[in-house]
Amino acid sequence: MSNKPPKMPLNRRQALGLIAVTAGGGAFLPAAARAAQASPYAGLALFEAGAGVCTITPEVTEGPFYFDPKLERADVTEGKKGVGLNVRLQIVDAACQPLAGARVDIWHCDAQGHYSGYPGQGDGQDVDTSGQTFLRGWQKTDASGIVSFATIYPGWYRGRTTHIHFKVFPDERSVMTGQLFFPDGLSDQIFATVSPYNDRTGKRDTSNARDGIAQRAGPLSQAALREAADAYQALLVVAVKAG
């Protein structure tokens, strides 16, 4: 069972302002945003019709901890404890048209900063997660170009700000690699006040502004967040070059 999310360090108006920001200048439909307050994903259309040209989402490094666990699944938690998080990505092309049937992989560290599948994890680099597959998985986009993953809010590890990795395969010939980032204020609040994040003795050493990868990715890779009763929702439009 995931922890109930703490309130974001934003007022309601500020939170809705975050939700209104998307890649390439598109906007969430106001009616859908209002409906989403009662049912977070019901009828949500990330882009208005005729949104125009979408700026291609910047690609960044894959990092050292990617592998394909061959797990097509919506829930990647595998019992990991943490603040509930629903990650919702819409994959579109440069004309803001949704890409149906694109494969999307995500992977990220747990509350203690451990990735699954590798030795040398943790602050002491003495945790071996070889053979494990937590917080990894993939899905294919629906007719609206959307995938949704149930996971937990990612932790941190030395030298990096809080993030989730993703890969998009628009077709068999193409792949785009990116990372999704979170507001520092929310990350700091969770890490200081919520178990198991605050069970660590070390302190997070890298903010978004001090993370070179986050700076290269820029605002198009910042998640829009909203609060729900039992989880946060992180939303991001990912515009890719297809074909």
Side-chain angles (χ1 to χ4, degrees):
M1 182 68 66
S2 296
N3 291 313
K4 182 177 179 180
K7 295 297 260 183
M8 285 193 288
L10 299 168
N11 62 41
R12 187 67 177 171
R13 184 174 181 180
Q14 289 171 316
L16 290 174
L18 277 176
I19 294 168
V21 179
T22 66
F28 293 104
L29 293 174
R34 288 194 294 271
Q37 292 180 32
S39 178
Y41 293 156
L44 183 63
L46 297 186
F47 270 106
E48 293 179 344
V53 177
C54 285
T55 303
I56 299 299
T57 304
E59 290 203 57
V60 296
T61 179
E62 174 183 292
F65 300 122
Y66 174 73
F67 72 92
D68 178 7
K70 297 181 170 53
L71 291 171
E72 183 178 6
R73 57 185 182 177
D75 189 332
V76 302
T77 55
E78 289 193 16
K80 281 290 179 179
K81 304 297 183 183
V83 170
L85 179 71
N86 293 315
V87 176
R88 186 172 172 87
L89 306 177
Q90 185 184 37
I91 312 304
V92 301
D93 63 17
C96 301
Q97 296 302 307
L99 295 179
R103 172 175 162 163
V104 181
D105 293 41
I106 70 164
W107 70 102
H108 65 87
C109 70
D110 66 9
Q112 301 297 310
H114 304 156
Y115 282 92
S116 61
Y118 289 88
Q121 300 296 302
D123 296 335
Q125 299 184 327
D126 54 356
V127 176
D128 189 347
T129 63
S130 298
Q132 300 182 50
T133 57
F134 58 82
L135 307 179
R136 298 179 184 272
W138 65 272
Q139 293 184 69
K140 289 195 173 181
T141 56
D142 64 14
S144 298
I146 292 171
V147 292
S148 298
F149 293 93
T151 185
I152 62 169
Y153 199 91
W156 61 272
Y157 52 96
R158 290 173 183 164
R160 288 301 320 275
T161 193
T162 307
H163 63 282
I164 291 178
H165 297 265
F166 63 86
K167 276 183 178 289
V168 179
F169 300 84
D171 52 52
E172 295 180 354
R173 304 178 304 278
S174 307
V175 61
M176 178 270 182
T177 303
Q179 295 182 24
L180 179 154
F181 300 94
F182 299 86
D184 282 323
L186 178 59
S187 296
D188 290 340
Q189 181 185 20
I190 289 173
F191 299 156
T193 63
V194 181
S195 177
Y197 302 92
N198 64 355
D199 295 341
R200 302 171 68 175
T201 57
K203 299 297 183 183
R204 186 167 79 121
D205 64 356
T206 306
S207 65
N208 291 339
R210 293 173 60 87
D211 186 299
I213 295 172
Q215 290 300 298
R216 288 194 296 275
L220 296 184
S221 296
Q222 291 288 326
L225 293 175
R226 67 157 64 98
E227 298 172 29
D230 59 353
Y232 293 114
Q233 281 98 36
L235 305 114
L236 185 72
V237 175
V238 181
V240 302
K241 295 178 181 178

